[in-house]
Amino acid sequence: EGLTKGYYTRPTLRVLAAGREVMALVYAMHGPSEAFLRLPFLEEYSLTMHEERYRAVEHIGLKQQLYLQGHSEYSSRGRIHPPKRLQEDASDEPLCYAPRVDLPGPDAKMGLH
């Protein structure tokens, strides 16, 4: 979806993989903001780093919050979505994700505990 809307681009790059040069498709931001360009960057992004640090749900949530910031909340009149910063998605900490256990199971009835 991001490709068709022009938010992202999908260029082909030469990369070194397993000791040999190969062509790889990448998914990249089209026209990144100044704030994005000032973030620290990595010389290499390995599969291990991806598995340890990428938080898909949190990443998507932050992108939605960035999009919604400053707009009125749908279900609350007079409330505005708060500001968010792109830097909130640039953690140096490895992923320590633990699923929430306080949510009702799939057999629970809504509103009954």
Side-chain angles (χ1 to χ4, degrees), residues 76-90:
S76 302
R77 291 181 186 214
R79 289 186 58 187
I80 303 296
H81 288 278
K84 285 291 178 179
R85 297 173 350 137
L86 188 60
Q87 289 83 346
E88 293 176 40
D89 199 33

Side-chain angles (χ1 to χ4, degrees), residues 2 4 7 15-16 23-24 29 33 52-54 60 62 66 86 89 95-96 107 111 113:
T4 58
Y7 301 137
V15 297
L16 188 61
M23 300 304 287
M29 184 181 286
S33 68
E52 289 177 348
R53 297 192 169 132
Y54 183 62
I60 292 166
L62 177 59
L66 287 166
L86 188 60
D89 199 33
L95 175 62
C96 294
D107 296 329
H113 297 276

Side-chain angles (χ1 to χ4, degrees), residues 8 10 12 19 27 32 34-36 39 44 48 51 60 63 69 72 74 77-78 83 89 92 94-95 99 102:
Y8 298 97
R10 190 128 197 199
T12 303
Y27 192 62
E34 288 296 319
F36 185 84
L39 289 173
E44 177 182 2
T48 301
E51 290 169 346
I60 292 166
K63 287 195 320 184
Q69 66 183 334
S72 297
Y74 176 74
R77 291 181 186 214
D89 199 33
D92 288 331
L95 175 62
D102 62 334

